[in-house]
Amino acid sequence: MRILRAGDHKRMPWKNGKGETVEIAVFPADASINDFDWRISMATVAEDGPFSIFPGIDRTLAVLDGNGMVLEVEGRAAVPLTTASDPLAFPADVPVTARLPDGSITDLNVMTRRVGLAHTLIRIDVDGSKTVPLRPSTCLFFCHFGALSFRRDGETGALAAGDALLIEDTAATVLEIDGEARCYLASITTD
């Protein structure tokens, strides 16, 4: 397990140059925006417009902050997303446009290379103690706001807002957490 502190996340321009992304984790560690196997990041969307195209990539997006946006994914009906919505999965290599009906938002993105990898993203609200099952995979547990402590297989630690816990190549196990926080769990598996 490795804690990724908010202050250490890498900031970089969007692939289409229309904004900035905060990269939480990427694999391989030295991968660029064009050759990652998987990538987890946050971005502020401040105006209506197209998403960057990522050939061969699947993407899941969750709205972290703001009053929501409407995503128009080619071939699908428009989907409104808010902080209360479940994360939305879609291919990252088709045209996608975002509309912001009520101001800017911040989102969380999980992206994996379609050939060989798959992922899930779930929201977890913590109010007290909770046990979170971990799949046999690489997992990233992201603390969006609040604070918590965690335990897993005798290891302990704490996360503050914006921090993440990267658990690489885990066997099926559980993460025990205590605190008050809104979190997201990304699980990345090989096909």
Side-chain angles (χ1 to χ4, degrees):
M1 293 194 307
R2 188 165 38 112
I3 296 174
L4 309 174
R5 296 291 180 203
D8 296 332
H9 300 333
K10 182 178 175 182
R11 295 183 174 277
M12 57 200 319
W14 286 355
K15 188 175 179 182
N16 67 12
K18 296 187 178 280
E20 182 182 68
T21 189
V22 176
E23 188 175 82
I24 299 168
V26 65
F27 182 84
D30 59 350
S32 74
I33 195 75
N34 296 313
D35 64 0
F36 61 84
D37 287 342
W38 60 261
R39 183 172 187 260
I40 301 172
S41 62
M42 292 182 298
T44 297
V45 181
E47 61 184 47
D48 295 352
F51 273 34
S52 300
I53 298 285
F54 289 90
I57 299 293
D58 287 322
R59 179 182 220 166
T60 301
L61 184 141
V63 174
L64 299 175
D65 295 305
N67 293 320
M69 71 175 164
V70 177
L71 273 191
E72 297 171 355
V73 179
E74 182 179 79
R76 296 186 188 180
V79 178
L81 292 174
T82 68
T83 56
S85 301
D86 287 333
L88 178 69
F90 56 95
D93 51 6
V94 300
V96 177
T97 302
R99 283 188 293 115
L100 301 168
D102 194 16
S104 67
I105 62 99
T106 302
D107 62 31
L108 178 66
N109 290 279
V110 178
M111 295 189 283
T112 53
R113 194 149 305 281
R114 188 170 298 128
V115 175
L117 295 174
H119 71 268
T120 60
L121 178 65
I122 59 170
R123 182 180 60 240
I124 300 172
D125 291 318
V126 182
D127 186 10
S129 296
K130 191 170 213 129
T131 299
V132 177
L134 300 174
R135 298 170 54 189
S137 61
T138 296
C139 298
L140 185 121
F141 188 75
F142 174 69
C143 181
H144 170 52
F145 68 78
L148 57 87
S149 61
F150 64 84
R151 292 174 305 287
R152 178 180 165 262
D153 297 339
E155 291 185 70
T156 63
L159 300 177
D163 292 345
L165 177 65
L166 182 61
I167 307 168
E168 297 180 278
D169 301 321
T170 183
T173 184
V174 296
L175 184 66
E176 297 173 56
I177 49 181
D178 295 291
E180 290 187 28
R182 170 159 285 177
C183 304
Y184 291 83
L185 176 65
S187 300
I188 301 163
T189 56
T190 55
D191 287 344

